[in-house]
Structures are given as C-alpha cells and as structure tokens.
Amino acid sequence: MKKYLIPLVSIAFFLLVWQLLALWIDKPMLFPALDGLFVAIGKLLLSIRFYVSLLVTLLRGLAGMLLSLGLVVVFSFLFVRAKWLYELFRPILAFMRSVPVISFILLALIFMHAEGIPLLIGFLVMFPLLTENLMNGLQNLDPGLNRLSDQFLIGHRNHQLLITYPQLKPFLYSGLASAMGFGWRAIIMGEVLAQTTFGIGGEMKKAQSFIDVPELIVWTLIAVFIGYLSDKGIGRLSRLKFPLHFVRSTPEKESLRLSSQHIRLKGVEYRYGVFYVNYEFQQGKIYGISAPSGAGKTTLLNLISGILTPTAGTVVMDRSYGVAFVFQELALLDELTAIENVMLPLAQNHTKAMSAQLAAEMLKEMDMEALSDKYPEELSFGQQQRVAIARALAYPSPFLFMDEPFKGIDDSTRNKIINYIKEQQSVKQQIVIFTSHQSEELELADVVLTPDEIAYY
C-alpha cells in the first residue's frame, strides 16, 4: 500500500492545483475545470468512435512494434555474422536515428496515403533503436555458455530460450521500452499531421480544429495512459521465464560402446606457445594433467574437446555423444536453480521425471540436496562448483573432462567427491581427463601426465 500512497497523493495534489487554476482563470472552454473534463470523458466513453479510434491507434502501435522487432531480429543476426553488411547499413541506421520525426512525416505526406503514414513513422522510429540494442546484446553473448551448449549437446530449443534469450533480455527490453516510448508519440504525431480518419491523433486534430479543449485534453491523457500501460506491459513481459523442454519419452539409444572409445592426438599444434602433441587416451582410465598455472593445461583440454581448433594435426575422438565437462568458468545459468542447471543437459535425452531423479541423486552425492532449489547467485563459489560437477557427472557421456574441478571446495568434500568419481568409474569406464596443479587432487588420477610426457613446449 505504501508504494501507491505517494503517487496517489501526487495525483490528488495535481488535480487540486488544476481545479484552482480553472476556477481562477474562469474560462471553461479554454481551461476546463475537473467537472468539464469528466463530462468530456463521459461523452467519449459513450461514443463508438472513441473505441474505434483507440483500437486503430493501438493496432498501429502493435503492428509497428512487431514489424520492427521481426526485421530487427533478422537484420541483427545478419549484422553480427557479416560485419561488412553492418558497415553497409550503418549510415542508413544513423540517418534514421538523426532525422527529426517531423521530416519523415512531411515527406511521407507527399508520397503516401494518410492512413499508412503513422505505421511507417512508428517503424522508422522504432527500428534503429531496437537494432542498436539487440546488436549490443548479440555482441556481448557469453562464449562460455555457447561452449556449455556445444559440449553437452543441449537441444536448439533449450539453447535459444534458456541460454541465448536470458542474455539478450536486458538489451531487448530496454530497447523495447525506449522504442515504444518514442514510437507511440511518433505514431500519434503522424495521425495528427496526416489527419487520419480514425486514431487518437486524428481525434486530437479534430478537437483542436473545433477548439474543443476538454476533449483534446482527454485524448492527450489517454495517449499518456497508453504509454504508461505499454511501459508496464514491457516490464511484466521482461519477467517471463521459459521452462526446460524435455523429450516426451527417453529414447532407446544404442550403448555408448565404451570399449571402442579412445582419444588420439596426432601431431597437434596450436598457436599459443606451440604444442607438439602425440598421445592416446585409453578408455577406462583417469588422466590428471599436472602443470603450473599458465603452462597450457586448459588450452590442451580445450583442444581435445574441440573448443579450440588445432592449427595443425588432428584430434581423433567421437563427439557424437557429447562431453561431460566441468569448465574453469562454471557456466551456470543464472535463471535456473541448481537442480535445473543439472537437468538442462539431460533434457535432450530424458523425460522430465527421469531428469529430475538423476539430478536430485547427483546433487545428493555432492551434499547439495538441501540447496537444489537455490539460484547460483544464492550459492557460494564452492557450492556452485559442486553444482557444475554434479551436472557433468549426471550427463551420460563416455568422456568426462574437468578443468581445475576442486577450486573452492573444502578438503573433506573434495575427498568425498574423488572417492565417488572413482567408484563410478569402475562402472562407467569413461575416459576422464582433468587438470590440476595440486598434489592432493591428483590422487584421483590413474595416470598423471607431466608437461614432458604430454610433449608440449
């Protein structure tokens, strides 16, 4: 109630001042009192023309927004993928942002039918604003989340709605709020100057022509109210969250064929401090890559997983099952709870019930059962790390890669996780590769590889 009190007091004060000024000026036709405004509102509400004009303006605004948004999505993705195309269109976008709205309207009056002008003006105002905002969003997408999607083979629908959309949301809705704010004013201005048959602007022009000040003020208030409602509607829309999409039934998939899995590096080179790697990782073993910080452990792991492409040589590995990966940057999704983050990679292959069961079991093994409904921002770094480990261990892949997986985890919890991974390895027989420079963590490994043994310089 308190948050509404101040606005209500402010409105009441404004109405009081208006009424006092009206009584002092005492010219109802030019400065109507409140009772005159209420009479004008009543007359409009009883008129069919009021509803038709209101609907026409709303449809023009909605059509302008949808047309702008649809083209913006297409062009923004094209601009980000083809820089030359953006450079080609950039002067046009700058021109559209810089030219006064009135100039567009006056030019349109020469060449177009009056009824189509407001929609065109709305589009010309909204399109450059939305394009700029959405492009900023696309250019600031987190590459770590794309790596998450690629390694875990997250489905296209979940990728777009749960990974890409939340990152674009701040840019998209701030652009929509600005575009709609300018757009409504531009559309109504276009209706006024084009003197459209129906529409809020057309009605305002008629009221001005007949010096019907009360009606003109009422239409102005209605225009302000529409702008307010659209702003609130965009704010409510920005809070929309999409649920995880799961397969309807767990498909009958062929065995992971673990006995045939291997990873072979043939003469792999990379541009960061030149690697020369020839090595084969065998199924059923846990490999620990040990080297000081900055020696290239993460780069090597990224080369093996396909995140990085070698400048020479090849990595022989069957990635069709995806890779269970614990990234150095954890890549947890802020809008998903801990259990939903673990369920996300499972959704492509398991039903919702099966995914929830597997995720809950793995979080329990990580001592995170009580925090499964918490969002990443509500968890400590060590707790987030355990969620990332749970996500990787729950994912059915013949490969488990972990980059510095035990950062921020206390000794007792780390030892428990190490023992659990060893127990699971006796059943799963995965190829496990992890990086570390801590001797205690290397107890997990069957084979510890030093820089000389892996042969990179």
Side-chain angles (χ1 to χ4, degrees):
M1 182 63 184
K2 287 183 179 180
K3 69 176 182 178
Y4 298 110
L5 183 59
I6 294 178
L8 289 173
V9 171
S10 177
I11 293 171
F13 177 75
F14 174 79
L15 293 176
L16 176 62
V17 171
W18 181 281
Q19 181 68 6
L20 292 175
L21 283 173
L23 293 175
W24 179 57
I25 295 172
D26 196 24
K27 291 184 178 179
M29 293 300 295
L30 297 178
F31 201 100
L34 293 180
D35 57 341
L37 292 178
F38 289 137
V39 170
I41 291 172
K43 286 172 60 178
L44 283 178
L45 292 176
L46 294 174
S47 167
I48 295 178
R49 189 178 186 86
F50 165 77
Y51 298 101
V52 173
S53 292
L54 180 61
L55 180 62
V56 167
T57 297
L58 290 174
L59 289 176
R60 282 174 177 149
L62 184 61
M65 185 191 72
L66 292 177
L67 176 62
S68 299
L69 188 58
L71 290 175
V72 162
V73 169
V74 174
F75 276 96
S76 294
F77 277 94
L78 290 175
F79 289 160
V80 169
R81 289 180 176 272
K83 299 295 184 184
W84 65 268
L85 189 63
Y86 174 65
E87 294 300 326
L88 182 66
F89 276 84
R90 187 163 63 171
I92 299 173
L93 294 172
F95 177 80
M96 293 172 69
R97 286 195 302 268
S98 304
V99 174
V101 175
I102 190 66
S103 299
F104 282 131
I105 296 174
L106 293 175
L107 287 169
L109 283 169
I110 299 173
F111 301 103
M112 291 184 63
H113 190 276
E115 302 299 328
I117 290 174
L119 176 59
L120 173 65
I121 300 306
F123 168 76
L124 292 175
V125 168
M126 289 187 273
F127 180 78
L129 286 171
L130 284 171
T131 301
E132 183 177 353
N133 274 54
L134 193 57
M135 275 199 65
N136 286 336
L138 289 170
Q139 290 167 345
N140 285 279
L141 290 176
D142 184 355
L145 296 182
N146 283 332
R147 289 194 289 268
L148 165 73
S149 185
D150 292 339
Q151 294 299 308
F152 284 97
L153 302 183
I154 292 171
H156 179 75
R157 178 171 174 176
N158 282 335
H159 175 83
Q160 296 300 333
L161 297 182
L162 299 173
I163 295 179
T164 302
Y165 170 72
Q167 294 181 80
L168 295 178
K169 207 160 58 166
F171 299 92
L172 175 63
Y173 287 107
S174 65
L176 278 175
S178 299
M180 287 304 294
F182 287 109
W184 283 122
R185 293 196 288 273
I187 287 170
I188 292 173
M189 187 188 302
E191 290 176 339
V192 170
L193 294 180
Q195 300 184 42
T196 54
T197 305
F198 294 103
I200 291 175
E203 299 299 333
M204 292 172 72
K205 180 61 180 177
K206 294 185 185 73
Q208 182 263 342
S209 300
F210 291 103
I211 318 178
D212 191 343
V213 177
E215 184 172 325
L216 178 59
I217 292 173
V218 171
W219 279 114
T220 302
L221 292 174
I222 290 169
V224 171
F225 187 61
I226 288 174
Y228 170 79
L229 287 181
S230 69
D231 190 58
K232 289 294 183 183
I234 290 171
R236 188 175 292 271
L237 192 62
S238 69
R239 295 192 289 272
L240 175 67
K241 290 178 62 176
F242 293 98
L244 274 166
H245 174 70
F246 298 87
V247 294
R248 293 187 178 181
S249 60
T250 301
E252 291 292 334
K253 297 188 71 175
E254 61 176 317
S255 168
L256 293 181
R257 295 182 285 110
L258 290 176
S259 60
S260 65
Q261 296 298 327
H262 65 272
I263 301 172
R264 184 178 298 116
L265 281 64
K266 296 181 177 180
V268 173
E269 299 182 18
Y270 196 65
R271 61 179 177 269
Y272 297 152
V274 190
F275 288 71
Y276 299 95
V277 182
N278 287 279
Y279 197 87
E280 182 169 339
F281 296 91
Q282 299 292 335
Q283 172 262 330
K285 290 187 178 181
I286 302 176
Y287 296 86
I289 300 176
S290 175
S293 297
K297 300 187 301 296
T298 297
T299 301
L300 181 59
L301 202 60
N302 288 342
L303 283 168
I304 297 170
S305 65
I307 292 174
L308 295 177
T309 303
T311 53
T314 58
V315 178
V316 179
M317 173 182 171
D318 182 3
R319 296 189 179 90
S320 61
Y321 298 104
V323 177
F325 210 126
V326 180
F327 302 95
Q328 196 169 101
E329 301 296 332
L330 301 179
L332 297 179
L333 302 186
D334 294 335
E335 296 201 355
L336 298 184
T337 62
I339 193 168
E340 288 171 338
N341 268 284
V342 180
M343 292 166 67
L344 175 63
L346 302 175
Q348 189 70 5
N349 299 307
H350 298 292
T351 63
K352 183 176 181 179
M354 177 63 73
S355 298
Q357 178 184 338
L358 292 171
E361 290 173 358
M362 200 55 64
L363 286 173
K364 184 177 181 180
E365 294 293 340
M366 299 294 113
D367 292 331
M368 290 291 295
E369 186 178 21
L371 301 173
S372 62
D373 291 329
K374 299 293 184 181
Y375 290 91
E377 64 178 12
E378 300 174 286
L379 303 174
S380 69
F381 179 80
Q383 290 168 339
Q384 292 179 27
Q385 188 82 23
R386 282 184 274 165
V387 173
I389 294 172
R391 179 177 61 192
L393 296 181
Y395 184 67
S397 169
F399 310 108
L400 172 61
F401 294 169
M402 301 185 291
D403 194 1
E404 302 282 358
F406 303 113
K407 291 183 302 182
I409 298 178
D410 62 88
D411 293 346
S412 61
T413 304
R414 179 197 64 209
N415 293 335
K416 179 180 178 181
I417 295 173
I418 287 175
N419 290 332
Y420 179 76
I421 293 174
K422 286 182 174 181
E423 290 174 8
Q424 290 298 298
Q425 179 67 352
S426 64
V427 177
K428 293 183 176 180
Q429 294 292 294
Q430 295 172 294
I431 297 177
V432 180
I433 307 174
F434 73 98
T435 67
S436 176
H437 56 269
Q438 302 292 334
S439 58
E440 298 86 353
E441 297 173 4
L442 293 170
E443 294 177 5
L444 171 61
D446 298 321
V447 180
V448 177
L449 300 173
T450 64
D452 290 336
E453 290 169 313
I454 204 74
Y456 59 94
Y457 306 91

